[in-house]
């Protein structure tokens, strides 16, 4: 059974950092392009970042560019989202998801497997 388990969320002050982890089981992570998405209360889910299966190329939403990085540890079958200089508007439930697309795509319906999400709250 294909499964993701996210962790690393929590409460952090503005300007702080968190690293989210997305551990995969039941499949090999680098066979898929993996995206991070977030959903804030009352808002639609939006794409944050992606790393492609083909060449490791990455995508970042404009709102997080320069502050977030994405990395994959194939030995641990785990994906990471490093979030620096966090802002209150980054508050959301963050989920990772897998798509068979070989390049990054951020359309939600292209993703077949989703994690349960982890809460990130940025507040003083």
């Amino acid at each position: 059974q294909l499964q993701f388990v996210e962790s690393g969320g929590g409460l952090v002050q503005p300007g702080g950092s968190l690293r989210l982890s997305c551990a995969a089981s039941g499949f090999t992570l680098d066979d898929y392009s993996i995206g991070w998405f977030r959903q804030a209360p009352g808002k639609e889910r939006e794409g944050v970042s992606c790393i492609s299966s083909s060449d490791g190329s990455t995508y970042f939403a404009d709102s997080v560019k320069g502050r977030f990085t994405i990395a994959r540890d194939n030995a641990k079958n785990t994906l990471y989202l490093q979030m620096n200089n966090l802002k209150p508007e980054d508050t959301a439930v963050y989920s990772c998801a897998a798509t068979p697309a070989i390049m990054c795509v951020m359309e939600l319906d292209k993703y077949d497997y989703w994690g349960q999400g982890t809460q990130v709250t940025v507040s003083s």
Side-chain angles (χ1 to χ4, degrees):
Q1 180 179 359
L2 280 68
Q3 188 175 7
F4 279 121
V5 177
E6 296 108 330
S7 60
L11 173 64
V12 63
Q13 292 186 341
S17 297
L18 284 174
R19 188 179 77 158
L20 304 184
S21 299
C22 174
S25 61
F27 68 105
T28 302
L29 198 64
D30 64 358
D31 286 344
Y32 292 80
S33 296
I34 308 296
W36 281 100
F37 296 83
R38 67 186 181 186
Q39 187 166 23
K43 294 188 176 181
E44 293 186 352
R45 183 175 283 176
E46 64 173 349
V48 175
S49 182
C50 175
I51 185 165
S52 73
S53 62
S54 60
D55 60 1
S57 57
T58 58
Y59 160 86
F60 295 94
D62 287 344
S63 58
V64 307
K65 205 170 290 184
R67 300 187 296 121
F68 290 13
T69 58
I70 189 171
R72 184 166 48 202
D73 185 334
N74 291 335
K76 295 183 178 180
N77 214 30
T78 298
L79 186 77
Y80 301 100
L81 184 70
Q82 177 68 42
M83 307 186 296
N84 299 325
N85 191 21
L86 283 160
K87 304 176 180 181
E89 51 265 40
D90 294 318
T91 295
V93 175
Y94 285 71
S95 302
C96 57
T99 173
I102 61 172
M103 299 302 293
C104 279
V105 294
M106 301 312 293
E107 291 85 0
L108 299 179
D109 61 359
K110 297 293 193 292
Y111 286 79
D112 297 329
Y113 309 107
W114 291 81
Q116 82 288 354
T118 184
Q119 176 70 47
V120 171
T121 303
V122 185
S123 175
S124 55

